[in-house]
Amino acid sequence: MNDLAHNRHLFIEDLARRLAALETGQRRMNALDYRVHARMLRHALVGIPRRQLQVLMTYEVVCEVMDNRSFDEAGLLQSAGPQARELRDATDALLRRLQQGSRKTV
């Protein structure tokens, strides 16, 4: 791992620790700090493949950011594992039925 990648990894880990401390009550919650750190974490994780973040996946906040990113990109939650596609198909079918039902009542 080169120096830049190593430093980025350390930065992401520091942000994840800070957010975890705020979420668990180890640090006093401050809404502005939380929003700033969460935004910085989202930006720091941009472009990093999930497989390079395995060590950091022990932090719940990193998992959530990665799940949100994969959902935004593909409409699938990675945390659902191999069932993600099945869950997406079931959700799509339910939404179609709901939309059809609302059209019939109008």
Side-chain angles (χ1 to χ4, degrees):
M1 185 182 293
N2 65 24
D3 286 342
L4 182 61
H6 181 69
N7 290 341
R8 188 174 184 186
H9 181 86
L10 291 175
F11 179 64
I12 292 168
E13 187 172 7
D14 181 57
L15 289 172
R17 279 189 187 137
R18 290 173 188 240
L19 286 167
L22 288 169
E23 289 178 351
T24 60
Q26 294 172 350
R27 282 184 53 199
R28 189 165 182 255
M29 178 57 81
N30 179 320
L32 180 60
D33 282 350
Y34 188 86
R35 286 194 310 266
V36 168
H37 286 89
R39 178 175 284 168
M40 289 170 58
L41 180 63
R42 280 193 310 273
H43 288 288
L45 289 170
V46 168
I48 299 178
R50 191 178 191 92
R51 67 183 178 281
Q52 291 182 359
L53 295 172
Q54 292 306 317
V55 174
L56 296 173
M57 295 305 256
T58 58
Y59 294 100
E60 184 66 30
V61 68
V62 173
C63 293
E64 290 173 9
V65 169
M66 295 306 291
D67 267 350
N68 288 339
R69 182 172 89 179
S70 64
F71 185 79
D72 290 343
E73 292 172 355
L76 299 172
L77 290 176
Q78 295 298 321
S79 61
Q83 301 163 321
R85 177 60 62 190
E86 295 172 30
L87 293 171
R88 173 65 192 264
D89 292 342
T91 303
D92 287 345
L94 176 62
L95 286 173
R96 278 193 303 275
R97 284 197 312 251
L98 290 171
Q99 288 173 342
Q100 291 170 353
S102 67
R103 287 183 194 141
K104 290 179 183 176
T105 60
V106 173

XYZ file of all heavy atoms in Angstrom:
855
model
N 0.860 -1.171 0.000
C 0.000 0.000 0.000
C 0.905 1.232 0.000
O 1.793 1.361 0.829
C -0.886 -0.036 1.256
C -1.894 1.066 1.309
S -2.931 1.078 2.808
C -3.896 -0.381 2.629
N 0.675 2.134 -0.920
C 1.509 3.328 -0.971
C 1.115 4.305 0.137
O 0.110 4.124 0.829
C 1.447 3.981 -2.357
C 0.066 4.501 -2.691
O -0.730 4.788 -1.815
N -0.208 4.627 -3.971
N 1.922 5.350 0.311
C 1.707 6.294 1.409
C 0.362 6.999 1.322
O -0.321 7.174 2.330
C 2.820 7.333 1.446
C 4.122 6.760 1.983
O 4.070 5.698 2.635
O 5.168 7.384 1.739
N -0.032 7.396 0.125
C -1.301 8.100 -0.036
C -2.475 7.205 0.344
O -3.380 7.624 1.083
C -1.452 8.599 -1.477
C -2.717 9.396 -1.780
C -2.762 10.652 -0.911
C -2.777 9.780 -3.237
N -2.466 5.974 -0.126
C -3.540 5.034 0.210
C -3.539 4.723 1.703
O -4.604 4.633 2.330
C -3.395 3.757 -0.602
N -2.348 4.583 2.279
C -2.252 4.313 3.715
C -2.801 5.486 4.527
O -3.546 5.289 5.493
C -0.800 4.034 4.087
C -0.601 3.724 5.530
N -1.059 2.567 6.104
C -0.015 4.444 6.527
C -0.763 2.570 7.393
N -0.128 3.705 7.666
N -2.437 6.698 4.148
C -2.940 7.884 4.845
C -4.451 8.008 4.711
O -5.134 8.379 5.668
C -2.252 9.142 4.322
C -0.802 9.218 4.731
O -0.371 8.549 5.666
N -0.037 10.028 4.021
N -4.972 7.707 3.538
C -6.421 7.760 3.330
C -7.126 6.726 4.202
O -8.148 7.004 4.812
C -6.741 7.526 1.860
C -8.185 7.746 1.501
C -8.378 7.631 0.010
N -9.739 7.936 -0.349
C -10.213 7.808 -1.581
N -9.423 7.421 -2.562
N -11.472 8.080 -1.835
N -6.521 5.551 4.291
C -7.068 4.490 5.132
C -7.097 4.937 6.600
O -8.096 4.735 7.297
C -6.215 3.227 4.959
C -6.687 2.062 5.743
N -7.646 1.206 5.274
C -6.345 1.615 6.974
C -7.875 0.271 6.178
N -7.093 0.491 7.217
N -6.011 5.546 7.061
C -5.957 6.043 8.442
C -6.983 7.148 8.681
O -7.600 7.216 9.748
C -4.549 6.546 8.764
C -3.462 5.481 8.859
C -2.107 6.137 9.070
C -3.770 4.501 9.976
N -7.168 8.021 7.700
C -8.146 9.101 7.811
C -9.561 8.533 7.930
O -10.343 8.954 8.783
C -8.029 10.017 6.591
C -9.009 11.148 6.577
C -8.977 12.132 7.554
C -9.966 11.237 5.580
C -9.880 13.183 7.541
C -10.863 12.279 5.553
C -10.831 13.260 6.538
N -9.866 7.549 7.099
C -11.184 6.911 7.145
C -11.384 6.222 8.486
O -12.460 6.336 9.100
C -11.350 5.917 5.971
C -11.418 6.677 4.649
C -12.570 5.034 6.165
C -11.302 5.804 3.428
N -10.369 5.551 8.961
C -10.478 4.869 10.255
C -10.693 5.868 11.392
O -11.499 5.635 12.294
C -9.228 4.038 10.517
C -9.336 3.180 11.750
C -8.186 2.215 11.897
O -7.214 2.289 11.121
O -8.270 1.370 12.805
N -9.996 6.998 11.340
C -10.176 8.031 12.362
C -11.597 8.578 12.343
O -12.230 8.742 13.396
C -9.166 9.156 12.146
C -9.285 10.246 13.197
O -9.175 9.919 14.404
O -9.504 11.407 12.818
N -12.115 8.859 11.164
C -13.493 9.348 11.060
C -14.485 8.318 11.582
O -15.439 8.659 12.289
C -13.819 9.706 9.609
C -13.143 10.949 9.053
C -13.404 11.055 7.553
C -13.613 12.199 9.773
N -14.261 7.064 11.234
C -15.158 5.993 11.687
C -15.127 5.883 13.212
O -16.173 5.714 13.847
C -14.767 4.664 11.047
N -13.953 5.991 13.806
C -13.849 5.945 15.273
C -14.576 7.112 15.921
O -15.265 6.947 16.927
C -12.382 5.981 15.702
C -11.697 4.672 15.622
C -10.332 4.751 16.273
N -9.618 3.529 16.046
C -8.354 3.445 15.720
N -7.627 4.529 15.591
N -7.788 2.281 15.531
N -14.404 8.297 15.352
C -15.072 9.485 15.907
C -16.595 9.338 15.839
O -17.299 9.652 16.790
C -14.630 10.739 15.170
C -13.205 11.133 15.444
C -12.797 12.289 14.543
N -11.396 12.565 14.647
C -10.914 13.737 15.052
N -11.725 14.709 15.374
N -9.612 13.922 15.114
N -17.092 8.870 14.706
C -18.535 8.689 14.555
C -19.052 7.599 15.487
O -20.126 7.743 16.086
C -18.890 8.371 13.103
C -18.800 9.567 12.156
C -18.855 9.104 10.708
C -19.907 10.565 12.443
N -18.302 6.519 15.615
C -18.706 5.448 16.526
C -18.749 5.947 17.956
O -19.664 5.604 18.721
C -17.752 4.262 16.397
N -17.793 6.776 18.339
C -17.775 7.335 19.693
C -18.989 8.238 19.930
O -19.583 8.218 21.016
C -16.481 8.114 19.924
N -19.377 8.999 18.923
C -20.566 9.849 19.056
C -21.828 9.004 19.156
O -22.728 9.299 19.941
C -20.670 10.812 17.866
C -19.653 11.951 17.825
C -19.709 12.654 16.475
C -19.910 12.940 18.956
N -21.899 7.939 18.347
C -23.098 7.100 18.331
C -23.258 6.263 19.594
O -24.367 5.974 20.012
C -23.081 6.181 17.105
C -23.308 6.918 15.807
C -23.247 6.016 14.598
O -22.854 4.842 14.730
O -23.596 6.490 13.507
N -22.146 5.855 20.197
C -22.219 4.991 21.376
C -22.209 5.758 22.682
O -22.316 5.154 23.751
C -21.045 3.983 21.388
O -19.813 4.709 21.409
C -21.112 3.061 20.195
N -22.066 7.069 22.620
C -22.078 7.866 23.838
C -20.720 8.010 24.498
O -20.625 8.554 25.596
N -19.667 7.533 23.865
C -18.328 7.714 24.419
C -17.911 9.181 24.352
O -17.123 9.630 25.160
C -17.315 6.850 23.679
C -17.529 5.377 23.877
C -16.626 4.552 22.976
O -15.974 5.071 22.084
N -16.617 3.255 23.201
N -18.424 9.886 23.370
C -18.251 11.334 23.263
C -19.622 11.968 23.284
O -20.605 11.379 22.820
C -17.573 11.705 21.937
C -16.087 11.470 21.934
C -15.433 11.933 20.652
N -15.743 13.313 20.321
C -15.603 13.823 19.101
N -15.198 13.071 18.108
N -15.889 15.090 18.866
N -19.691 13.159 23.808
C -20.968 13.882 23.872
C -21.437 14.190 22.448
O -20.673 14.692 21.623
C -20.779 15.179 24.651
C -22.061 15.863 24.947
C -21.831 16.923 26.013
N -23.069 17.551 26.341
C -23.397 18.779 25.931
N -22.533 19.490 25.231
N -24.558 19.294 26.252
N -22.683 13.875 22.171
C -23.228 14.062 20.828
C -23.334 15.551 20.507
O -23.825 16.342 21.295
C -24.607 13.413 20.716
C -25.277 13.587 19.367
S -24.348 12.973 17.972
C -24.708 11.252 18.047
N -22.832 15.887 19.354
C -22.921 17.233 18.825
C -23.377 17.072 17.381
O -22.669 16.474 16.565
C -21.558 17.924 18.914
C -21.572 19.332 18.362
O -22.204 19.605 17.346
N -20.868 20.215 19.030
N -24.538 17.587 17.065
C -25.132 17.362 15.744
C -24.246 17.880 14.620
O -24.090 17.222 13.589
C -26.510 17.999 15.671
N -23.655 19.042 14.814
C -22.804 19.601 13.763
C -21.570 18.732 13.547
O -21.223 18.415 12.409
C -22.389 21.028 14.121
C -21.489 21.716 13.092
C -22.203 21.812 11.741
C -21.078 23.082 13.586
N -20.911 18.316 14.631
C -19.754 17.419 14.500
C -20.139 16.140 13.777
O -19.416 15.664 12.901
C -19.190 17.037 15.880
C -18.340 18.126 16.485
O -18.018 19.102 15.777
O -18.005 17.988 17.681
N -21.279 15.588 14.148
C -21.713 14.326 13.540
C -21.926 14.501 12.036
O -21.447 13.703 11.231
C -22.985 13.814 14.200
C -23.341 12.433 13.732
C -22.801 11.318 14.350
C -24.192 12.237 12.655
C -23.088 10.039 13.913
C -24.491 10.969 12.203
C -23.936 9.876 12.842
O -24.218 8.623 12.397
N -22.641 15.547 11.646
C -22.909 15.767 10.226
C -21.630 16.014 9.440
O -21.462 15.495 8.337
C -23.883 16.940 10.041
C -25.301 16.599 10.411
C -26.288 17.646 9.909
N -25.933 19.000 10.244
C -26.354 19.666 11.317
N -27.164 19.094 12.173
N -25.981 20.912 11.531
N -20.721 16.800 10.014
C -19.464 17.102 9.325
C -18.626 15.835 9.160
O -18.125 15.547 8.074
C -18.672 18.194 10.077
C -17.254 18.307 9.544
C -19.383 19.531 9.961
N -18.503 15.046 10.234
C -17.709 13.820 10.152
C -18.348 12.801 9.207
O -17.649 12.121 8.457
C -17.516 13.204 11.540
C -16.540 13.954 12.378
N -16.908 15.004 13.184
C -15.206 13.819 12.512
C -15.839 15.470 13.790
N -14.789 14.782 13.396
N -19.673 12.701 9.230
C -20.362 11.759 8.339
C -20.165 12.162 6.885
O -19.923 11.307 6.020
C -21.845 11.696 8.685
N -20.250 13.449 6.601
C -20.045 13.911 5.227
C -18.602 13.672 4.791
O -18.342 13.234 3.664
C -20.386 15.390 5.100
C -20.128 15.922 3.685
C -20.571 17.315 3.515
N -22.022 17.288 3.401
C -22.793 18.350 3.461
N -22.260 19.535 3.655
N -24.091 18.249 3.338
N -17.659 13.953 5.666
C -16.248 13.718 5.339
C -16.003 12.232 5.076
O -15.256 11.878 4.157
C -15.355 14.228 6.477
C -15.313 15.739 6.570
S -14.504 16.382 8.063
C -12.901 15.672 7.971
N -16.634 11.370 5.859
C -16.473 9.928 5.659
C -17.040 9.502 4.309
O -16.406 8.741 3.572
C -17.142 9.145 6.786
C -17.041 7.630 6.693
C -15.584 7.185 6.778
C -17.864 6.971 7.772
N -18.232 9.995 3.973
C -18.814 9.652 2.674
C -17.889 10.061 1.537
O -17.671 9.310 0.590
C -20.180 10.320 2.508
C -21.301 9.608 3.197
C -22.662 10.107 2.752
N -22.810 11.550 2.786
C -23.195 12.257 3.849
N -23.451 11.647 4.976
N -23.323 13.566 3.776
N -17.338 11.267 1.629
C -16.441 11.742 0.571
C -15.127 10.963 0.550
O -14.577 10.709 -0.520
C -16.162 13.241 0.728
C -17.330 14.098 0.382
N -17.761 14.276 -0.908
C -18.175 14.807 1.155
C -18.822 15.069 -0.921
N -19.097 15.402 0.326
N -14.627 10.585 1.709
C -13.367 9.840 1.779
C -13.516 8.440 1.185
O -12.554 7.882 0.658
C -12.885 9.748 3.219
N -14.715 7.872 1.265
C -14.942 6.516 0.769
C -15.238 6.454 -0.729
O -15.276 5.370 -1.306
C -16.084 5.852 1.541
C -15.765 5.493 2.986
C -17.028 5.074 3.728
C -14.719 4.405 3.042
N -15.420 7.601 -1.358
C -15.740 7.626 -2.779
C -14.600 7.005 -3.580
O -13.432 7.334 -3.389
C -15.995 9.073 -3.266
C -16.044 9.149 -4.780
C -17.280 9.602 -2.660
N -14.967 6.074 -4.434
C -14.010 5.467 -5.340
C -13.207 4.313 -4.768
O -12.417 3.703 -5.479
N -13.375 4.013 -3.502
C -12.635 2.902 -2.911
C -13.482 1.641 -3.039
O -14.614 1.609 -2.559
C -12.306 3.164 -1.428
C -11.429 4.402 -1.301
C -11.605 1.954 -0.823
C -11.091 4.757 0.119
N -12.955 0.608 -3.670
C -13.710 -0.646 -3.789
C -13.970 -1.273 -2.424
O -13.154 -1.149 -1.504
C -12.811 -1.545 -4.631
C -11.795 -0.654 -5.237
C -11.680 0.541 -4.353
N -15.088 -1.937 -2.304
C -15.489 -2.564 -1.044
C -14.439 -3.556 -0.544
O -14.193 -3.653 0.651
C -16.837 -3.254 -1.252
C -17.496 -3.728 0.003
C -18.856 -4.357 -0.326
N -19.593 -4.566 0.883
C -20.439 -3.718 1.429
N -20.643 -2.560 0.857
N -21.074 -4.007 2.538
N -13.804 -4.268 -1.442
C -12.832 -5.285 -1.027
C -11.612 -4.680 -0.349
O -10.937 -5.342 0.416
C -12.422 -6.148 -2.214
C -11.637 -5.429 -3.267
C -11.313 -6.332 -4.454
N -10.603 -5.608 -5.470
C -11.155 -4.794 -6.355
N -12.466 -4.622 -6.348
N -10.423 -4.161 -7.252
N -11.309 -3.413 -0.604
C -10.178 -2.759 0.038
C -10.532 -2.228 1.424
O -9.664 -1.738 2.135
C -9.658 -1.611 -0.818
C -8.985 -2.066 -2.090
C -8.447 -0.906 -2.897
O -8.586 0.260 -2.520
N -7.842 -1.214 -4.028
N -11.791 -2.321 1.799
C -12.238 -1.778 3.085
C -12.590 -2.855 4.097
O -13.232 -2.564 5.098
C -13.458 -0.881 2.862
C -13.208 0.369 2.040
C -14.522 1.054 1.729
C -12.284 1.314 2.774
N -12.177 -4.089 3.852
C -12.567 -5.180 4.739
C -12.187 -4.928 6.192
O -12.951 -5.219 7.100
C -11.969 -6.504 4.252
C -12.564 -6.991 2.951
C -14.080 -7.102 2.996
O -14.642 -7.570 3.963
N -14.729 -6.634 1.948
N -11.008 -4.377 6.431
C -10.573 -4.099 7.803
C -11.483 -3.061 8.451
O -11.818 -3.161 9.632
C -9.106 -3.605 7.807
C -8.677 -3.169 9.187
C -8.198 -4.681 7.262
N -11.907 -2.076 7.677
C -12.732 -0.994 8.225
C -14.198 -1.370 8.352
O -14.978 -0.626 8.936
C -12.589 0.256 7.349
C -11.193 0.868 7.315
C -11.137 1.985 6.297
C -10.788 1.361 8.680
N -14.589 -2.519 7.802
C -15.993 -2.921 7.864
C -16.404 -3.332 9.279
O -17.567 -3.621 9.524
C -16.281 -4.044 6.877
C -16.116 -3.614 5.431
S -17.098 -2.189 4.982
C -18.364 -2.971 4.064
N -15.460 -3.339 10.215
C -15.816 -3.600 11.613
C -16.550 -2.408 12.207
O -17.229 -2.546 13.219
C -14.560 -3.899 12.456
O -13.665 -2.792 12.362
C -13.882 -5.160 11.982
N -16.428 -1.257 11.567
C -17.149 -0.063 12.008
C -18.514 -0.033 11.328
O -18.607 -0.053 10.105
C -16.373 1.207 11.661
C -15.070 1.340 12.404
C -13.874 1.000 11.795
C -15.042 1.787 13.715
C -12.674 1.116 12.476
C -13.853 1.904 14.401
C -12.673 1.571 13.773
O -11.492 1.681 14.452
N -19.542 0.014 12.136
C -20.914 0.010 11.616
C -21.158 1.168 10.652
O -21.826 1.019 9.636
C -21.904 0.074 12.782
C -23.349 -0.013 12.371
C -23.732 -1.356 11.780
O -23.123 -2.371 12.159
O -24.647 -1.386 10.935
N -20.597 2.318 10.965
C -20.830 3.497 10.135
C -20.229 3.318 8.739
O -20.809 3.767 7.750
C -20.300 4.775 10.835
C -18.801 4.774 10.942
C -20.796 6.020 10.158
N -19.113 2.626 8.611
C -18.516 2.365 7.301
C -19.416 1.420 6.512
O -19.657 1.626 5.322
C -17.084 1.796 7.441
C -16.530 1.377 6.087
C -16.163 2.806 8.097
N -19.952 0.407 7.185
C -20.882 -0.525 6.526
C -22.115 0.217 6.009
O -22.577 -0.040 4.894
C -21.309 -1.620 7.492
S -19.996 -2.731 7.976
N -22.636 1.133 6.813
C -23.820 1.885 6.404
C -23.536 2.763 5.195
O -24.338 2.823 4.256
C -24.314 2.748 7.564
C -24.921 1.963 8.693
C -25.252 2.833 9.900
O -25.170 4.074 9.792
O -25.574 2.264 10.947
N -22.396 3.429 5.195
C -22.038 4.284 4.059
C -21.888 3.445 2.798
O -22.377 3.814 1.731
C -20.749 5.088 4.355
C -20.231 5.774 3.097
C -20.996 6.108 5.449
N -21.231 2.295 2.926
C -21.041 1.434 1.764
C -22.371 0.860 1.277
O -22.598 0.740 0.077
C -20.051 0.314 2.086
C -18.641 0.818 2.385
S -17.941 1.863 1.099
C -17.721 0.663 -0.198
N -23.259 0.508 2.206
C -24.579 0.024 1.812
C -25.354 1.115 1.076
O -25.991 0.862 0.057
C -25.381 -0.436 3.023
C -25.220 -1.913 3.301
O -24.644 -2.620 2.462
O -25.676 -2.363 4.369
N -25.310 2.327 1.600
C -26.002 3.437 0.945
C -25.433 3.687 -0.444
O -26.179 3.933 -1.395
C -25.916 4.707 1.792
C -26.784 4.638 3.012
O -27.731 3.874 3.088
N -26.444 5.440 4.012
N -24.114 3.615 -0.563
C -23.478 3.839 -1.860
C -23.895 2.757 -2.855
O -24.271 3.057 -3.990
C -21.962 3.862 -1.703
C -21.248 4.146 -3.009
C -19.791 4.360 -2.808
N -19.081 3.091 -2.892
C -17.766 2.975 -2.777
N -17.023 4.027 -2.528
N -17.196 1.796 -2.884
N -23.873 1.495 -2.427
C -24.249 0.432 -3.355
C -25.735 0.489 -3.684
O -26.135 0.166 -4.799
C -23.863 -0.944 -2.801
O -24.578 -1.221 -1.627
N -26.552 0.933 -2.738
C -27.974 1.072 -3.031
C -28.205 2.189 -4.038
O -29.004 2.050 -4.969
C -28.769 1.348 -1.750
C -30.243 1.370 -1.982
C -30.949 0.189 -2.097
C -30.926 2.560 -2.105
C -32.314 0.190 -2.325
C -32.290 2.577 -2.327
C -32.981 1.393 -2.437
N -27.499 3.308 -3.871
C -27.629 4.415 -4.820
C -27.167 4.010 -6.214
O -27.756 4.422 -7.210
C -26.821 5.628 -4.349
C -27.423 6.290 -3.120
O -28.610 6.031 -2.823
O -26.701 7.061 -2.459
N -26.117 3.186 -6.284
C -25.562 2.798 -7.577
C -26.345 1.680 -8.248
O -26.563 1.702 -9.444
C -24.106 2.359 -7.410
C -23.176 3.498 -7.040
C -21.774 3.023 -6.685
O -21.543 1.790 -6.625
O -20.921 3.887 -6.443
N -26.756 0.667 -7.460
C -27.350 -0.523 -8.075
C -28.730 -0.863 -7.537
O -29.366 -1.790 -8.027
C -26.423 -1.720 -7.876
N -29.185 -0.151 -6.537
C -30.482 -0.465 -5.964
C -30.473 -1.718 -5.116
O -31.520 -2.305 -4.866
N -29.283 -2.148 -4.659
C -29.164 -3.359 -3.845
C -28.398 -3.059 -2.565
O -27.443 -2.292 -2.577
C -28.412 -4.451 -4.606
C -29.033 -4.937 -5.897
C -28.073 -5.865 -6.620
C -30.336 -5.636 -5.625
N -28.824 -3.674 -1.472
C -28.089 -3.561 -0.221
C -27.089 -4.702 -0.144
O -27.467 -5.867 -0.145
C -29.035 -3.617 0.982
C -29.934 -2.414 1.169
C -30.879 -2.659 2.332
C -29.117 -1.168 1.411
N -25.817 -4.369 -0.071
C -24.767 -5.389 -0.022
C -24.848 -6.200 1.270
O -24.479 -7.361 1.299
C -23.394 -4.748 -0.139
C -23.152 -4.088 -1.474
C -23.213 -5.062 -2.629
O -22.751 -6.184 -2.514
N -23.780 -4.638 -3.732
N -25.338 -5.583 2.349
C -25.416 -6.306 3.619
C -26.431 -7.444 3.569
O -26.404 -8.333 4.401
C -25.765 -5.342 4.757
O -27.021 -4.734 4.512
N -27.318 -7.414 2.577
C -28.292 -8.488 2.435
C -27.658 -9.732 1.819
O -28.270 -10.802 1.809
C -29.474 -8.030 1.585
N -26.442 -9.578 1.322
C -25.712 -10.712 0.762
C -26.349 -11.238 -0.511
O -26.893 -10.480 -1.314
N -26.301 -12.558 -0.700
C -26.816 -13.140 -1.941
C -28.331 -12.983 -2.101
O -28.861 -13.123 -3.185
C -26.434 -14.624 -1.840
C -25.933 -14.850 -0.469
C -25.686 -13.526 0.171
N -29.021 -12.669 -1.028
C -30.472 -12.493 -1.102
C -30.860 -11.110 -1.616
O -32.034 -10.834 -1.827
C -31.088 -12.676 0.278
C -30.817 -14.024 0.893
C -31.089 -13.987 2.383
O -30.794 -13.013 3.045
N -31.648 -15.064 2.897
N -29.880 -10.243 -1.834
C -30.168 -8.863 -2.216
C -31.016 -8.790 -3.485
O -31.979 -8.033 -3.547
C -28.866 -8.085 -2.393
N -30.671 -9.562 -4.489
C -31.417 -9.522 -5.754
C -32.849 -10.000 -5.542
O -33.794 -9.420 -6.062
C -30.695 -10.369 -6.807
C -31.394 -10.464 -8.144
C -31.607 -9.149 -8.847
N -30.374 -8.474 -9.161
C -30.309 -7.226 -9.607
N -31.396 -6.531 -9.812
N -29.154 -6.663 -9.863
N -33.028 -11.056 -4.750
C -34.375 -11.560 -4.467
C -35.205 -10.516 -3.726
O -36.384 -10.308 -4.030
C -34.302 -12.834 -3.630
C -33.658 -14.010 -4.336
C -33.440 -15.179 -3.386
O -34.228 -15.329 -2.434
O -32.481 -15.926 -3.615
N -34.582 -9.864 -2.752
C -35.286 -8.826 -2.006
C -35.672 -7.661 -2.906
O -36.765 -7.114 -2.804
C -34.427 -8.323 -0.842
C -34.171 -9.318 0.281
C -33.130 -8.774 1.243
C -35.463 -9.629 1.012
N -34.778 -7.296 -3.817
C -35.056 -6.197 -4.749
C -36.215 -6.574 -5.673
O -37.122 -5.777 -5.919
C -33.800 -5.890 -5.561
C -33.987 -4.899 -6.681
C -34.349 -3.516 -6.147
N -34.785 -2.634 -7.171
C -34.019 -1.757 -7.793
N -32.761 -1.660 -7.486
N -34.530 -0.987 -8.715
N -36.219 -7.799 -6.187
C -37.294 -8.250 -7.069
C -38.635 -8.270 -6.333
O -39.660 -7.855 -6.877
C -36.981 -9.635 -7.636
C -35.802 -9.610 -8.594
O -35.438 -8.510 -9.078
O -35.237 -10.688 -8.852
N -38.637 -8.732 -5.083
C -39.870 -8.768 -4.292
C -40.372 -7.349 -4.016
O -41.576 -7.074 -4.101
C -39.641 -9.505 -2.980
N -39.457 -6.440 -3.737
C -39.831 -5.043 -3.493
C -40.402 -4.410 -4.748
O -41.421 -3.706 -4.690
C -38.612 -4.245 -3.013
O -38.082 -4.868 -1.846
C -38.973 -2.817 -2.696
N -39.769 -4.655 -5.882
C -40.272 -4.113 -7.151
C -41.668 -4.641 -7.457
O -42.542 -3.894 -7.901
C -39.320 -4.452 -8.296
C -38.035 -3.639 -8.243
O -37.988 -2.634 -7.503
O -37.064 -4.037 -8.923
N -41.897 -5.939 -7.233
C -43.212 -6.529 -7.482
C -44.262 -5.906 -6.563
O -45.375 -5.591 -6.996
C -43.153 -8.042 -7.279
N -43.924 -5.702 -5.316
C -44.849 -5.085 -4.371
C -45.181 -3.661 -4.792
O -46.354 -3.254 -4.769
C -44.248 -5.098 -2.960
C -45.065 -4.408 -1.877
C -46.414 -5.090 -1.699
C -44.300 -4.384 -0.582
N -44.184 -2.901 -5.191
C -44.433 -1.529 -5.625
C -45.317 -1.484 -6.872
O -46.194 -0.625 -6.985
C -43.107 -0.814 -5.898
C -42.308 -0.427 -4.665
C -40.938 0.125 -5.059
C -43.058 0.592 -3.825
N -45.102 -2.413 -7.823
C -45.958 -2.459 -9.012
C -47.405 -2.743 -8.636
O -48.331 -2.107 -9.147
C -45.446 -3.527 -9.985
C -44.308 -3.068 -10.863
C -44.049 -4.044 -12.006
N -43.769 -5.395 -11.557
C -42.560 -5.833 -11.188
N -41.534 -5.032 -11.221
N -42.382 -7.073 -10.787
N -47.618 -3.694 -7.704
C -48.989 -4.009 -7.265
C -49.630 -2.812 -6.578
O -50.808 -2.522 -6.784
C -48.983 -5.212 -6.325
C -48.791 -6.531 -7.037
C -49.193 -7.708 -6.157
N -48.629 -7.634 -4.832
C -47.661 -8.413 -4.348
N -47.145 -9.343 -5.119
N -47.216 -8.271 -3.130
N -48.868 -2.108 -5.771
C -49.403 -0.932 -5.086
C -49.768 0.171 -6.077
O -50.795 0.823 -5.940
C -48.407 -0.411 -4.051
C -48.199 -1.280 -2.816
C -47.040 -0.762 -1.991
C -49.474 -1.333 -1.983
N -48.899 0.382 -7.072
C -49.176 1.399 -8.079
C -50.406 1.034 -8.902
O -51.243 1.879 -9.210
C -47.964 1.587 -8.991
C -46.826 2.303 -8.307
C -45.571 2.328 -9.154
O -45.408 1.555 -10.105
N -44.641 3.210 -8.793
N -50.543 -0.246 -9.261
C -51.701 -0.674 -10.015
C -52.974 -0.520 -9.191
O -54.003 -0.108 -9.704
C -51.531 -2.125 -10.473
C -50.471 -2.303 -11.524
C -50.140 -3.763 -11.782
O -50.612 -4.659 -11.072
N -49.311 -4.010 -12.788
N -52.884 -0.829 -7.901
C -54.031 -0.700 -7.016
C -54.461 0.753 -6.845
O -55.646 1.064 -6.811
N -53.489 1.654 -6.765
C -53.834 3.080 -6.605
C -54.432 3.650 -7.871
O -55.265 4.544 -7.845
C -52.621 3.894 -6.181
O -51.659 3.932 -7.211
N -54.049 3.130 -9.042
C -54.622 3.599 -10.301
C -56.091 3.145 -10.427
O -56.908 3.856 -10.979
C -53.826 3.060 -11.481
C -52.494 3.722 -11.639
C -51.763 3.219 -12.849
N -50.381 3.627 -12.799
C -49.356 2.891 -13.159
N -49.550 1.671 -13.619
N -48.135 3.328 -13.072
N -56.384 1.962 -9.909
C -57.750 1.440 -10.012
C -58.701 2.232 -9.123
O -59.858 2.372 -9.451
C -57.780 -0.026 -9.606
C -57.101 -0.925 -10.611
C -57.127 -2.365 -10.148
C -56.385 -3.256 -11.132
N -56.313 -4.636 -10.665
N -58.217 2.752 -7.993
C -59.087 3.496 -7.076
C -59.324 4.911 -7.508
O -60.224 5.572 -7.016
C -58.510 3.491 -5.636
O -57.221 4.107 -5.657
C -58.411 2.087 -5.097
N -58.519 5.426 -8.427
C -58.667 6.827 -8.867
C -59.770 6.980 -9.846
O -60.366 6.377 -10.488
C -57.348 7.351 -9.466
C -57.538 8.719 -10.072
C -56.289 7.372 -8.417
